[in-house]
Amino acid sequence: MTQAEIKLCSLLLQEHFGEIVEKIGTHLIKTGSQPLRVIANDTGMSLDQVKKALCVLIQHNLVTYQLQKRGFVEYEAPCSRVLRILRYPRYIYTAKTLYSDMGELIVEELLLNGKMTMSAVVRKVADRLTETMEDGKTMDYGEVSNTFMRLADTHFIQRCPMAPETTETSDAPPPPAPTLAVNEKDMYVVPNLNLIGKGKRRRSFDDEDNGEHKAKRQKQDSPPDDGIYWQANIDRFHQHFRDQAIVSAVANRMDQTSSEIVRTMLRMSEITTSSTAPYTQPLSSNEIFRSLPAGYNIVKQILDQYLTLLADDPLEFVGKSGDSGGGMYSCVSWFVPPPSRFGSRCARIFRLLLRKKHLEQKQVEDFAMIPAKEAKDMLYKMLSENFVSLQEIPKTPDHAPSRTFYLYTVNTLSSARMLLHRCYKSVANLIERRQYETKENKRLLEKSQRVEAILASMQATGAEEVQLQEIEEMITAPERQQLENLKRNVNKIDASENQVDETIFVLESYIESTVKKP
């Protein structure tokens, strides 16, 4: 774990949960697993504050706990899980793309609250959708439940581990912390709730009249799915991102038909293949042919030619693992993009070294068709930045330079780690810049919010156009221009964060699939 990762985790925790939670989370990331009283002693905070902070982090799946043999509980904050906060907007946008506004709001509620029951999610989403609809229209619970079930069927959401049921007659004392477990068969099974009702608006008269009665009823009647909590399945989202990246890379290198064939293969094995597996499950050519979309009217012979072309490609997007069923093929689950920081010619040299493994400087010049002076400068530039490495192979034991081969090569794993470290530093700098921009314009932002609140209340009461115009003029033209510049800058920073996170995802996926786990 690097200092850049710790700093980025600290910024993310502070931005989303405040200073107290950030202090506890960062301490656990730095020190590893620790018991409650040691955390309180090291951070100088009260036990009550530490307990509340840990509850927040556990609720949001950012801290795990484990019961030790001696009987005390240790808490640990995985750095990788905290860094996933950076990708929340992308998870939500993916749900919107695949399952419309309902899917977006379901995933958003689960990410914002950490864990929720299905009944609570359905009611909250239905209420939020009803708020955005025209007067007289409401969102039915059944529609939201159907979208929830579709998300569970495709494994984008999953059940949280539960504490085992204990019998009241047991004389044994309860453990200091429950051991949570979930049956893999039940992980994506949606309870049959038959939720009947419609979303409600916040300011409806029914809520005002019956608010107290509803509160009492909720305390008395527990929901039918009480104790069955759901969370977003981050690994499934990552699998979807990886598949999209591979399809896009195939389309850029070959053509649309090749990318559609690879998309079909990935779609067929998206649930049966683990998100961390280096290859998908082998699929026969006949199975792929039957699963192609209806719009692609290609014959079996053409499909076999495309599969052979993909399998023979040096980038190895598709691998052949057998000849039964017309040929067994599987998709690779990662690829490493060449660096574009130094321009297209350096990227060409980098690709060449990836393909040829080891080359002398003269061979690089000839294969890449780049003049000697430029090739030499580019190689030395990438060597100084650790993108390529130099390997010496002496002809004689004295290692004389005149009798030594100097071969350039690429250590992809170390290059990926170096780029990942730089990406973490870049995102941390972007977050700090956004915080600086908002802090510098804090007074103006507060004034703008006050004016917007006054305008909204006056419009609700039916104020005249002249009165509204007078309120709008409270913000002068220079202030309005300053607000527009701030909004434009913040939008650029947000877009840059998302772009860097895409690179982070590719590099993390490559490192995870390359490094062999013990």
Side-chain angles (χ1 to χ4, degrees):
M1 188 190 315
T2 62
Q3 288 297 319
E5 289 177 270
I6 295 171
K7 182 181 178 182
L8 180 54
C9 288
S10 175
L11 288 168
L12 289 169
L13 289 172
Q14 184 176 15
E15 192 173 31
H16 288 81
F17 302 105
E19 291 184 5
I20 295 176
V21 175
E22 179 269 327
K23 192 172 183 180
I24 299 298
T26 306
H27 174 73
L28 285 174
I29 290 169
K30 288 179 179 178
T31 59
S33 57
Q34 285 193 334
L36 178 65
R37 293 192 177 276
V38 175
I39 298 169
N41 184 54
D42 290 350
T43 56
M45 303 176 75
S46 66
L47 276 175
D48 187 51
Q49 285 179 317
V50 175
K51 285 178 182 178
K52 289 178 180 178
L54 287 172
C55 283
V56 171
L57 291 167
I58 291 170
Q59 171 70 19
H60 288 268
N61 308 306
L62 302 176
V63 161
T64 58
Y65 61 86
Q66 190 173 5
L67 181 61
Q68 300 297 322
K69 292 180 180 179
R70 295 182 180 180
F72 60 87
V73 180
E74 285 193 343
Y75 300 88
E76 184 178 6
C79 179
S80 59
R81 182 59 187 82
V82 177
L83 291 173
R84 295 295 82 83
I85 297 173
L86 187 66
R87 211 162 288 158
Y88 280 6
R90 198 173 172 195
Y91 301 146
I92 295 168
Y93 179 73
T94 301
K96 180 182 177 69
T97 305
L98 297 175
Y99 299 100
S100 72
D101 292 342
M102 286 186 209
E104 174 194 10
L105 293 180
I106 289 170
V107 172
E108 184 180 340
E109 287 294 331
L110 289 173
L111 290 173
L112 289 177
N113 294 282
K115 304 178 180 73
M116 289 181 77
T117 60
M118 177 182 174
S119 56
V121 173
V122 169
R123 290 192 183 97
K124 190 76 179 290
V125 170
D127 291 347
R128 287 182 63 181
L129 288 170
T130 301
E131 286 282 341
T132 61
M133 298 172 86
E134 299 176 2
D135 291 338
K137 293 184 178 181
T138 55
M139 177 55 64
D140 190 73
Y141 286 170
E143 294 183 46
V144 184
S145 297
N146 290 336
T147 305
F148 192 98
M149 292 171 68
R150 289 167 60 201
L151 281 163
D153 289 341
T154 50
H155 298 184
F156 281 104
I157 57 176
Q158 63 184 12
R159 284 193 186 189
C160 299
M162 298 168 56
E165 295 182 3
T166 55
T167 57
E168 296 181 359
T169 57
S170 177
D171 296 331
T179 302
L180 304 180
V182 63
N183 191 344
E184 289 188 10
K185 295 180 180 178
D186 299 332
M187 192 175 286
Y188 306 103
V189 176
V190 179
N192 189 11
L193 299 180
N194 293 325
L195 294 172
I196 300 171
K198 294 184 178 181
K200 298 175 179 62
R201 299 180 190 275
R202 281 184 196 170
R203 296 180 181 178
S204 63
F205 295 107
D206 294 337
D207 289 348
E208 293 176 6
D209 295 339
N210 304 324
E212 295 181 5
H213 299 291
K214 286 182 180 178
K216 290 178 182 177
R217 204 184 309 137
Q218 283 179 355
K219 289 180 181 177
Q220 294 172 359
D221 303 333
S222 59
D225 60 340
D226 188 27
I228 303 175
Y229 289 90
W230 293 82
Q231 63 185 357
N233 185 2
I234 287 177
D235 289 339
R236 178 67 183 86
F237 279 100
H238 288 176
Q239 186 180 356
H240 177 77
F241 298 156
R242 182 201 65 198
D243 292 351
Q244 294 297 105
I246 292 172
V247 170
S248 176
V250 173
N252 291 335
R253 181 165 178 81
M254 296 187 177
D255 60 2
Q256 197 63 36
T257 305
S258 300
S259 69
E260 196 59 42
I261 292 169
V262 172
R263 189 197 305 275
T264 302
M265 295 173 67
L266 292 169
R267 191 177 63 247
M268 291 169 67
S269 57
E270 62 185 1
I271 294 179
T272 58
T273 303
S274 168
S275 58
T276 57
Y279 289 92
T280 63
Q281 293 291 335
L283 301 166
S284 69
S285 174
N286 296 329
E287 289 177 321
I288 299 169
F289 181 71
R290 287 193 296 268
S291 300
L292 282 172
Y296 276 81
N297 298 320
I298 62 173
V299 296
K300 179 68 167 56
Q301 186 179 0
I302 300 296
L303 172 65
D304 290 338
Q305 291 176 1
Y306 268 107
L307 288 170
T308 304
L309 190 66
L310 286 163
D312 292 341
D313 189 85
L315 293 183
E316 298 178 346
F317 290 113
V318 171
K320 190 172 183 180
S321 56
D323 296 320
S324 59
M328 300 295 289
Y329 298 89
S330 57
C331 279
V332 70
S333 295
W334 55 266
F335 71 100
V336 58
S340 57
R341 180 179 175 184
F342 304 113
S344 60
R345 289 194 169 189
C346 279
R348 191 195 309 172
I349 293 174
F350 190 85
R351 287 194 194 97
L352 183 65
L353 290 173
L354 279 177
R355 189 176 300 178
K356 300 290 186 180
K357 306 299 182 185
H358 296 84
L359 288 176
E360 290 186 278
Q361 182 178 316
K362 183 68 170 64
Q363 292 175 310
V364 171
E365 297 165 9
D366 295 340
F367 284 128
M369 293 184 289
I370 296 174
K373 188 173 183 296
E374 290 183 26
K376 183 179 179 181
D377 291 342
M378 291 173 187
L379 283 168
Y380 287 176
K381 190 184 294 183
M382 288 195 287
L383 184 64
S384 64
E385 295 285 345
N386 295 322
F387 281 104
V388 300
S389 57
L390 196 61
Q391 185 174 353
E392 297 181 6
I393 302 178
K395 296 179 185 177
T396 55
D398 60 354
H399 287 261
S402 58
R403 294 184 293 277
T404 302
F405 292 110
Y406 294 95
L407 303 179
Y408 288 95
T409 186
V410 175
N411 186 339
T412 51
L413 198 57
S414 64
S415 298
R417 287 194 173 118
M418 178 194 62
L419 287 172
L420 187 60
H421 176 72
R422 291 184 179 182
C423 288
Y424 288 144
K425 289 177 69 175
S426 299
V427 176
N429 292 339
L430 287 167
I431 293 173
E432 287 182 330
R433 182 64 192 180
R434 186 179 66 243
Q435 291 176 347
Y436 172 79
E437 290 282 347
T438 51
K439 186 178 179 181
E440 286 291 303
N441 297 276
K442 185 178 179 181
R443 184 196 62 81
L444 187 58
L445 286 169
E446 290 175 351
K447 181 180 178 180
S448 174
Q449 289 171 357
R450 284 197 303 271
V451 170
E452 287 176 3
I454 295 169
L455 282 171
S457 62
M458 291 183 70
Q459 286 173 349
T461 55
E464 296 180 0
E465 188 66 31
V466 179
Q467 293 175 314
L468 295 175
Q469 191 171 355
E470 288 178 359
I471 299 297
E472 287 178 354
E473 288 174 356
M474 290 173 63
I475 298 179
T476 61
E479 287 178 333
R480 203 173 295 280
Q481 182 65 37
Q482 192 176 348
L483 280 170
E484 289 177 3
N485 291 337
L486 174 63
K487 185 178 179 181
R488 185 168 59 251
N489 291 338
V490 170
N491 287 340
K492 282 182 180 179
I493 291 171
D494 289 341
S496 299
E497 281 183 38
N498 292 331
Q499 289 173 350
V500 176
D501 181 62
E502 290 181 14
T503 305
I504 288 174
F505 171 72
V506 172
L507 294 170
E508 284 179 344
S509 300
Y510 172 73
I511 292 169
E512 187 178 358
S513 61
T514 305
V515 176
K516 293 182 179 178
K517 295 181 180 179

